[in-house]
Every structure is written in C-alpha cells, then in structure tokens.
C-alpha cells in the first residue's frame, strides 16, 4: 500500500497549501447550492398534504442533523488516528470541527423544536431522539471545554481524543432511537438503501441542501484548520513567511 | 411556484412564523459559523506577526528548547481566551 498520501496529509504545510487552494471552491459551491435549495424548498416544492407548509423546515432540519452526526463520526475517526499515530493534523481537525458540529447540532435541535410546535403541538419532549441529540450538543461543548482546560498540548489532545471516542456510543443511539423506542420523532427521511417515500420534487431540494451544507462545512473547517496550523506552527519558517505577507497587507 | 401570491408565500398557510423563524435563525447561525473563523484567523496572524517583531528586536531570549516549551504554554493560554 502506498502511504505517501497519508504522510503528506500529516504535513501541516502541505495541508495548508492545499486547503488554501480548495477553500474558495468549497465556499462558493456550498453557498450557491444552499441558496438554490432554500429557494427551491421554500417556494417551489409542493406542500405536504398533512403538515402543510411547516414541512419546509426539513430542508434545514434534516441536512443540519445529518451533518451534526457525520461531523462527530469524522472527529471520532480523527481521535483514533490522533491517539494511535499522534498525528497533529488529526488533533487539529478535532479542535477545528467541534464548534462547527456544535452549531449544526444546535440548528438541528432548534429547527426541530420549531417544527414540532405546529406538528406535534409542543416545542420539546424528552423523546429518545431529541434527548440523544441534546447529548450530542453537550459532547461538542465538552470537547471544546476540555480543550480550553489543559495547559499541556499533549495531554489535552489525548484527553479530547478519549472523550470523543467514548462519546461515539451516542451516535448509534441517535440513529436507532426511532426504531428502538416508541418515539414521537419520525423515522429517517433519507436512507442510502431505499428509495425515498417522497416525490422527487420534494426530496431533490433536500439532496441539494445536504451536498451544499457539506461543502459549506468543509469551507469553514478549512479556515479553522488553517488558523490552528498558523498558531501551532508559528515557529516554522514557512508560517512566518505567510504571516509576514498577510500582516503587511 | 407553489404559491399564488407573495403574501401567500410569506404566510406559508398559517405556518409562516415557524418556517421563517427556522430559516432566520438558520441564516444567522451559518453566518456566525462562516464569519467568526475569518476574524479569528486575522487575530492569530496579527498575534504571530507581533511575536515575530518582538523576536527580531530581542533575538537572544533563552535557548530554543525552552522557548519552544514556552510557546506551547502560551498557545494554550491564548486558546482559553
């Protein structure tokens, strides 16, 4: 097996240069797709025969919820890499991704609550799906707080990695909560294996939004990782070069 | 277009408040998520630039090993802020 890519990925300089080149594309694509999906979902998609127009909240709710969970899974994979190989980039990924994950989890919870009011008649219930999503939000906060609590970089990266890995238990609970328990929350809108139960003019904007939000996530993540690299590699020559060039602008 | 008039679009069949509240807060959170890292990046660049300036004016400040450790601790204090 060729490990060159993996080794390159571990190099902050290589990553910084690549991300600087890719970031604008992700941002433009993400914002564009999200704008298209929003207009499509809000104005053109047909309304739900049962929920009327409040169902249009799914175009924000489902993509943010998907991302909230997949961001955590990516962090968990990074945590494993960070623990086993002590790869700095993996640790930087966790630091950079946690606040974005928290933002998406918050949005999923918020839009869910606002949707719940007209649909279920309540903003919040202590239902398994909702509660496990709230736990996910607190896991993100926990990672952020733990980062800030340590003085020593090695210690803090190890502690965060362990917390992230332990927290993974929550992910299958979120995913299967709707099957394991009698929840008010409906089962998954989208699955990889089955055809959606909605007509295409309803789920297509949703798909566009999911792709758009992934691009947006990547764009924001890359900026955060760049900042983290600049901070940690400040003693290297190449970072000094970048800093001096940008500071004199 | 699924709506007959712009007013219908705003009303969302009586669910306007919920739909627009969701999208409003969504836009706000995404804007914060997009803008705050850019501000943070500028702040770090300024900070590192100042540090370089200080080092240039006082280059004989301890052995490189010690200053490396010091840098890491500093790193974290900044992260706490």
């Amino acid at each position: 097996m060729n490990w060159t890519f993996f080794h390159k990925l571990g190099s902050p300089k290589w990553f910084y240069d690549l991300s600087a080149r890719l970031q604008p594309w992700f941002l433009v694509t993400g914002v564009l797709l999200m704008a298209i999906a929003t207009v499509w979902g809000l104005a053109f998609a047909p309304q739900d025969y049962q929920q009327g127009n409040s169902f249009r909240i799914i175009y924000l709710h489902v993509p943010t919820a998907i991302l909230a969970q997949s961001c955590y899974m990516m962090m968990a994979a990074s945590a494993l890499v960070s623990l086993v190989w002590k790869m700095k980039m993996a640790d930087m990924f966790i630091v950079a991704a946690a606040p974005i994950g928290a933002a998406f989890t918050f949005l999923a919870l918020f839009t869910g609550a606002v949707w719940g009011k007209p649909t279920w008649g309540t903003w919040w219930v202590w239902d398994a799906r909702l509660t496990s999503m709230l736990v996910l939000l607190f896991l993100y906060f926990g990672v952020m707080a733990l980062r800030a609590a340590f003085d020593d970089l090695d210690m803090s990266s190890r502690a965060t990695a362990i917390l992230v890995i332990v927290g993974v238990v929550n992910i299958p609970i979120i995913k299967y909560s709707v099957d394991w328990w009698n929840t008010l929350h409906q089962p998954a809108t989208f699955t990889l294996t089955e055809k959606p139960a909605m007509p295409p003019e309803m789920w297509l904007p949703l798909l566009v939004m999911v792709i758009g939000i992934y691009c947006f996530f990547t764009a924001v993540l890359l900026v955060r990782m760049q900042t983290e690299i600049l901070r940690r590699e400040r003693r290297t020559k190449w970072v000094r070069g970048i800093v001096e060039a940008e500071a004199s602008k | 277009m699924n709506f007959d008039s712009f007013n219908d679009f705003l009303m969302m069949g009586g669910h306007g408040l919920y739909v627009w509240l969701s999208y409003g807060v969504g836009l706000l959170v995404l804007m914060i998520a997009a803008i705050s890292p850019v501000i943070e990046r500028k702040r770090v660049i300024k900070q590192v630039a100042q540090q370089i300036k200080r080092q240039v004016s006082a280059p004989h400040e301890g052995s490189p090993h010690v200053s490396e450790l010091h840098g890491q601790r500093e790193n974290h204090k900044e992260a706490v802020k």
Side-chain angles (χ1 to χ4, degrees), chain B residues 3-81:
Chain B
F3 298 94
D4 296 329
S5 68
F6 188 67
N7 202 39
D8 268 7
F9 176 61
L10 288 183
M11 292 303 287
M12 286 279 164
H15 287 147
L17 173 70
Y18 305 111
V19 174
W20 296 114
L21 182 65
S22 291
Y23 280 85
V25 171
L27 186 69
L28 187 76
V29 171
L30 292 182
M31 295 266 273
I32 294 171
I35 294 167
S36 71
V38 177
I39 297 171
E40 171 73 3
R41 185 174 191 279
K42 285 211 176 108
R43 204 180 60 84
V44 168
I45 285 187
K46 219 165 129 190
Q47 225 169 40
V48 178
Q50 269 169 359
Q51 232 165 33
I52 293 170
K53 229 185 255 171
R54 244 181 286 140
Q55 272 176 1
V56 170
S57 56
H60 304 295
E61 198 194 328
S63 71
H65 176 65
V66 171
S67 71
E68 197 65 43
L69 281 175
H70 184 65
Q72 276 197 355
R73 295 190 70 85
E74 242 176 33
N75 233 340
H76 268 269
K77 277 183 205 138
E78 278 154 24
V80 174
K81 281 181 212 157

Side-chain angles (χ1 to χ4, degrees), chain A residues 86-105:
Chain A
K86 303 251 175 281
M87 198 169 165
K88 325 189 230 194
M89 292 309 303
D91 183 52
M92 291 192 208
F93 175 87
I94 297 173
V95 176
I100 319 175
F104 280 123
T105 313

Side-chain angles (χ1 to χ4, degrees), chain A residues 140-186:
Chain A
Y140 280 124
F141 286 159
V143 170
M144 289 155 72
L146 198 59
R147 267 337 270 208
F150 281 93
D151 249 7
D152 180 75
L153 190 60
D154 269 352
M155 278 268 274
S156 77
S157 65
R158 209 172 322 150
T160 346
I162 290 170
L163 172 65
V164 172
I165 289 171
V166 171
V168 164
V169 194
N170 191 40
I171 295 293
I173 296 180
I174 296 175
K175 186 159 170 41
Y176 296 109
S177 54
V178 283
D179 307 323
W180 290 345
W181 292 283
N182 255 325
T183 57
L184 203 51
H185 196 286
Q186 66 200 64

